[in-house]
Amino acid sequence: MKRFLLSVLAVCAVAAASAASAPAPAPAREESGWRTMLAKAKGIVGDTGVAGFLSRRAPAYITGDYAEADRVSANAMLGKDPHDDKSGYKTPNGYYHLKTKKWIGGYFDDVGRFVEGHEVKTLFGMPYGLGQLIMIPLCLVMMYLAIVKGFEPLLLLPIGFGGLLANCPLGGVTTPAMMHDGIVSFLSSGVPVMTGGIVEPGGFLYYFFHFGIDTGVFPIMIFMGVGAMTDFGPLIANPKMALLGGAAQFGIFFALFGALGLAALFGADFFGGVSPIKAAASIGIIGGADGPTAIWLTSRLAPDLLGAIAVAAYSYMALVPIIQPPIMKALTTKAERAIKMPPLRNVTRIERICFPIIVFLLCAVLLPSAVPLIGALMLGNLAKEVGSSVSRISDTMSNALINIVTIMLGLSVGSKLACEKFLSATTLGILALGLVAFCVGTAAGVLMAKLMNIFSKEKINPLIGSAGVSAVPMAARVSNKVSLSEDPTNFILMQAMGPNVSGVIGSAVVAGVLFKLCAS
C-alpha cells in the first residue's frame, strides 16, 4: 500500500512538471467573417428608433413590468399569508402575499426608495411607439412657432426640443437612475427599500428635472432674473393699479373650479391618479399667464401634469397678441379705448429701494408660503434698484443666470412631453381650461377698470386692465398697441406696466395660498 501511494505521488509530480514546462495552449480563434457581422447587425435592428416606434408597450421603468423576481410594490403588502412563502417577501412579521392583480411592479431609485409602476393609457389606446411618433411633429410645431413666428422663442424652443429628446425611442435621456442587485427590506409601514445595490445612472434630462424642477430651484432662479428686469416704478407711482392686477387673477379661480367640475363629471381619476384638488390648483394657475409660477406650483402639487400645464401656460403667454385684442375690443367702447391718462409722477430712488423690501416683509408676515417666489422676485428687483455698487449681481441675474436657467428649465419641461403624459384626455382638458382661464383673466381686468371708472374722478383706460395677467411685458405692449390703433397719439404703455407687474406679484401670492391649502 505504501509503495502504491508513493507511485501515485510520483506520477502526479511528473504530470505537474510536464504541465509547467509545456507551452500554453493557443487561444481559440475569434470567430470572424460576414456571418458574425450579419448576426451583430440583426441584433442592432432591435435597438434602433424604428423598432421603438413600432413598440406597443411603454418602457419597464414606467410600467414596472419587470421580471417576476424583480417585482416589489408597496401596494402589494395587502394581506398576510405566512403559509405562502414562495410568492411573498419576508418581513419581521412574516410573509406578505403579493396581490398580483393589484400591482404591476416598480423600481428602486438611486437612494433605494421604491417607485411604483403604473398603467400607461394613451389617447384612443394607441400603441406607445405610435404615440411617440405623433409627438415628434407636435414638438416640431412648437419649435416652428418659436423660430418662425417668434412666440416666446426663449422658452418654446428648448421646450419643443426637450420634447423631441423625450420621445426619441430608446434614447434614454429621461430614464431615471435606478438601483438594483441590493438587499430589499421593509419599513414598519410595509414600504420596501433597497440598500447596498448598484446604481445605474439615468439620462441627463432626468438630472435636469430632478435638480431644478423637483426641488423648485429653477422657477425661483427665474424669478430672480425677472425681478432684475422689472420696473415697479409705474405701480409705485399709481398704487391703485394693483386692483387691476388682482382682478386678472380671477381667471385662476375660474379654471380651478372648472377642473373640479371635470373631476366631478368624469371621475376622480380623470387627472391620472392626481388628487382633483391638487390638479385643479395647478391648472388654475395657468389663468395668471405666469409660466415660472405655474411650474413651481405644479412641481409641488401635481408633477405628473407638469408637461401639459407648462406648455399651456407658455403657449397662451405667447399667444397674448392674438387672444387679448378681440376680448378688449368686445368689452370696451371706442370712447373708452380713446381715454388718455395723465403722465405718471416721478418715483424717487428711495421709494424704488424700499418697495421690494416692504413687499417681501409683508409677504413674510402675512403669507409665508409665498416667500420663495416673492423673495426671489424682490431680491432681483432690489439688486437692480441699488445701482452700480451691485451692478455685477444685477447683470448676472438679468442676463447669464436667467439665460442658463431658461435653457435647462425648457429642456426639463420638454422632458415631460412624453406621449403617455401628453396624448391623453387629461391634456386636452388642461389646454381647454387654460385657454378659458386666460380669457377670463383678461376680461376680469378690463371689467375691473370699467368698474373703477364709475367711482373715480380720473378715468382709467380699460385697455390697461387686460395687462393684469402676468405676461410681462407683452400684455402691456398689447394694451398699448390696441390703444394706438384707435388713436396714434394715445400712449398707455407705462400706465399698463402698473397692472402688469402687479399681476406678477398677484399670481405668486395666489400660488402661495393654493400651495398652503392643497399641500397637505
Side-chain angles (χ1 to χ4, degrees), residues 388-408:
S388 58
S389 60
V390 293
S391 59
R392 290 169 56 189
I393 296 178
S394 177
D395 290 342
T396 299
M397 289 179 178
S398 59
N399 291 290
L401 179 65
I402 195 170
N403 289 335
I404 292 172
V405 176
T406 296
I407 296 170
M408 301 177 73

Side-chain angles (χ1 to χ4, degrees), residues 1-18:
M1 186 66 182
K2 185 175 180 180
R3 290 180 180 179
F4 176 75
L5 292 176
L6 290 173
S7 300
V8 171
L9 291 174
V11 170
C12 291
V14 171
S18 300

Side-chain angles (χ1 to χ4, degrees), residues 252 255-257 259-260 271 275-285 514:
I252 294 177
L256 188 150
F257 288 113
L260 291 176
F271 296 110
S275 167
I277 186 63
K278 292 183 178 181
S282 302
I283 295 169
I285 211 70
L514 293 177

